[in-house]
Amino acid sequence: MKKNISDFKDQKSSIHLLFLWNKHLGSKQKVINLLANDFKIIKIVKIIWTEKYKVKNYNRLFSADFINNNFKIQDMENTFECIIFEDNKAKRGCYSVDGTFLTDCNTNIVDLKNKVYQDFKFDQVYFSYNTPMTIQLGYLLFSPQTFINILDHNDDETLTIEQDLAGANEWPSLVEFFEVMNNCSKYVVLRNFEFLPYEFVDNDKDIDVLTDDVKKFALLANARKRSFGTSGYEICVNGEWIPLDIRYIGDNYYDSSWEHDMLNNSTYSSNNIKCINDLDYFFSLLYHCKVQKLEFNIRYVELLNRLAMKIGLENYGKNLIYDDEKISILLYSYLNSKKYEYVEPIDRSITLNRKFIAKLLKYYEKNKPAERKALKFLLLFYKLVPSNIKALIPSKYKQQMKNST
């Protein structure tokens, strides 16, 4: 059997999951016989969840709010079976499922699902449509290592596993947390990822991430909301609650275009943590130190020096970070070259260095006088601006104007 999960990511073979709820188990053998015609069954697993975490397990596994979507708790089963099978003749195509358009769907599974509905009259069937979706579900259902072990020891016996989703009560380690999140969510760690996952406790007090979907990320991470800040969450790891700041596209923590680029141009650290690339790291950290802090961590001085060398910024001097005038020019030059703007964050708990921001905006005003003067005027009188004129204002400025009124 294939010991590495990446072995399934070729173009000819894919792995899939089929969930059989208790009400469907009367047709279990017929379903197995149908699968055996065209697929290789790897393992059948009976899963038993606790009543305590049942609802949360459903919500996290399928990234949906089942209770608010007219599902009754008494109809939600905490015992079901999962059939893991392999398709050695996978056909790649596009398919829309539950409002999501999949560009890498195994169309054989679509045909299989239709046949199951037709032959067995099931009212609800859930399949995974490609290998990445299977890995996401498998890692959540069993934990990464357990899922890999299941794939590596296939036989005809039904395996019974009594456990909730990965991280349901707590995460055993940051290693498992990030291994699951790497395969379940689009995110990046914004800074200090060099200490993750093994040296976090001695070097940092919180984890800063950026994602495209804050609700989904928090759900998958099993994060609970902290009492302050729109982005303040925390996760339990081996009995300790670790603060987790979840930034998201459109929250104005950075310009939304920059946030998009950070996610789309992400990379991995040497310890397999999704992180931003060196160029984004240098300038976002510089922005963080000067715009979002009144006093920054002294260790960032050396880190910025190292990053400047890595990206070829030869004129960045050792103590340049302390020169607000030169840093504002450098930061403006980069932001402007990328068409990024300074934006007011939605999260009002963020500290802002107004003195430095004024220096930064001075260069925008100097280089875009007509646009800036018009926006400054609109900012002062936003409530009085006719709605048809408001519609013409770039969206990135609207929140800033609303927040100031």
Side-chain angles (χ1 to χ4, degrees):
M1 189 60 188
K2 303 172 183 179
K3 295 180 181 296
N4 195 324
I5 201 79
S6 62
D7 292 339
F8 287 101
K9 295 181 180 180
D10 58 50
Q11 292 300 307
K12 295 181 180 179
S13 176
S14 62
I15 50 174
H16 301 274
L17 304 180
L18 162 62
F19 293 97
L20 280 180
W21 313 117
N22 279 343
K23 59 187 175 183
H24 299 149
L25 290 181
S27 301
K28 174 182 174 180
Q29 191 56 52
K30 293 180 181 179
V31 172
I32 291 173
N33 293 340
L34 177 63
L35 288 172
N37 290 333
D38 299 299
F39 308 99
K40 178 184 177 181
I41 296 178
I42 298 174
K43 194 68 178 176
I44 300 174
V45 185
K46 181 179 181 180
I47 298 167
I48 303 174
W49 286 341
T50 64
E51 283 293 326
K52 180 179 180 180
Y53 293 113
K54 179 179 69 173
V55 175
K56 183 179 283 188
N57 287 340
Y58 271 98
N59 291 342
R60 291 179 64 212
L61 186 64
F62 300 110
S63 297
D65 191 338
F66 276 75
I67 299 304
N68 289 334
N69 283 314
N70 298 320
F71 277 76
K72 296 179 181 178
I73 293 179
Q74 58 266 31
D75 294 334
M76 301 171 75
E77 302 170 355
N78 66 337
T79 302
F80 58 93
E81 295 195 12
C82 174
I83 302 177
I84 308 170
F85 61 97
E86 181 178 3
D87 184 1
N88 290 314
K89 298 179 181 179
K91 296 179 182 178
R92 266 56 182 189
C94 300
Y95 183 65
S96 179
V97 53
D98 298 329
T100 301
F101 187 73
L102 301 176
T103 57
D104 183 27
C105 174
N106 181 1
T107 56
N108 289 338
I109 304 304
V110 178
D111 296 337
L112 174 64
K113 180 177 180 179
N114 292 334
K115 189 167 181 57
V116 169
Y117 272 123
Q118 178 181 340
D119 290 0
F120 305 115
K121 311 301 181 185
F122 288 174
D123 57 343
Q124 187 181 27
V125 183
Y126 194 90
F127 288 87
S128 60
Y129 291 92
N130 54 38
T131 296
M133 186 184 295
T134 301
I135 295 172
Q136 172 180 331
L137 293 169
Y139 278 17
L140 278 170
L141 275 172
F142 309 112
S143 82
Q145 191 55 56
T146 300
F147 186 52
I148 291 171
N149 290 341
I150 290 172
L151 296 178
D152 195 38
H153 295 87
N154 60 308
D155 53 47
D156 295 333
E157 294 184 11
T158 297
L159 174 66
T160 299
I161 293 182
E162 297 185 42
Q163 68 177 42
D164 294 294
L165 292 194
N169 181 42
E170 65 175 14
W171 295 97
S173 67
L174 283 174
V175 174
E176 181 169 305
F177 169 74
F178 281 110
E179 192 170 5
V180 170
M181 297 309 294
N182 281 356
N183 288 280
C184 294
S185 179
K186 188 172 184 178
Y187 83 99
V188 288
V189 178
L190 289 171
R191 51 188 166 269
N192 298 326
F193 44 79
E194 52 268 30
F195 302 119
L196 293 169
Y198 304 107
E199 300 173 359
F200 168 79
V201 175
D202 296 327
N203 292 283
D204 211 347
K205 63 181 186 299
D206 61 4
I207 300 172
D208 296 278
V209 302
L210 171 70
T211 182
D212 62 339
D213 189 331
V214 62
K215 184 177 180 180
K216 181 179 179 180
F217 186 93
L219 201 58
L220 292 168
N222 197 22
R224 73 181 186 187
K225 191 73 182 66
R226 300 207 309 271
S227 59
F228 59 92
T230 59
S231 297
Y233 291 80
E234 58 187 356
I235 55 172
C236 188
V237 180
N238 193 26
E240 298 291 332
W241 285 97
I242 296 178
L244 179 70
D245 287 337
I246 309 176
R247 311 297 177 181
Y248 57 93
I249 291 177
D251 67 351
N252 288 351
Y253 190 67
Y254 296 106
D255 183 292
S256 60
S257 296
W258 197 1
E259 292 174 333
H260 271 287
D261 290 344
M262 286 182 191
L263 280 175
N264 292 333
N265 299 325
S266 64
T267 184
Y268 284 88
S269 72
S270 58
N271 288 323
N272 201 36
I273 303 297
K274 278 187 182 179
C275 58
I276 53 180
N277 62 41
D278 289 337
L279 186 64
D280 282 328
Y281 196 7
F282 175 81
F283 282 104
S284 66
L285 184 60
L286 194 63
Y287 186 101
H288 176 66
C289 288
K290 303 303 289 186
V291 173
Q292 299 169 340
K293 295 290 181 183
L294 297 179
E295 295 182 1
F296 53 84
N297 194 317
I298 191 67
R299 75 159 181 253
Y300 287 151
V301 177
E302 182 57 37
L303 176 56
L304 285 165
N305 291 338
R306 292 200 307 270
L307 289 168
M309 292 180 63
K310 290 180 74 173
I311 64 175
L313 197 61
E314 298 177 357
N315 295 329
Y316 185 84
K318 183 178 180 180
N319 294 312
L320 193 65
I321 185 68
Y322 298 105
D323 191 325
D324 282 2
E325 196 63 44
K326 290 181 179 179
I327 290 296
S328 62
I329 295 172
L330 174 61
L331 201 50
Y332 165 75
S333 299
Y334 176 74
L335 295 175
N336 190 52
S337 72
K338 294 286 189 177
K339 294 183 170 38
Y340 302 150
E341 303 273 357
Y342 165 75
V343 285
E344 287 280 315
I346 293 174
D347 188 345
R348 292 302 186 91
S349 69
I350 296 172
T351 302
L352 293 175
N353 188 336
R354 293 294 180 186
K355 184 178 178 181
F356 181 84
I357 292 169
K359 290 181 180 294
L360 182 63
L361 291 180
K362 177 180 68 176
Y363 292 101
Y364 279 105
E365 292 168 359
K366 181 179 178 180
N367 289 281
K368 297 181 181 179
E371 178 185 344
R372 287 290 158 184
K373 286 179 180 178
L375 288 169
K376 192 172 183 179
F377 176 83
L378 291 173
L379 184 60
L380 290 172
F381 301 101
Y382 186 74
K383 286 185 177 180
L384 303 178
V385 175
S387 58
N388 60 329
I389 301 298
K390 287 181 181 178
L392 301 176
I393 300 173
S395 59
K396 65 173 65 180
Y397 302 118
K398 286 183 179 178
Q399 189 61 48
Q400 178 181 351
M401 295 175 183
K402 290 176 182 177
N403 289 344
S404 67
T405 58

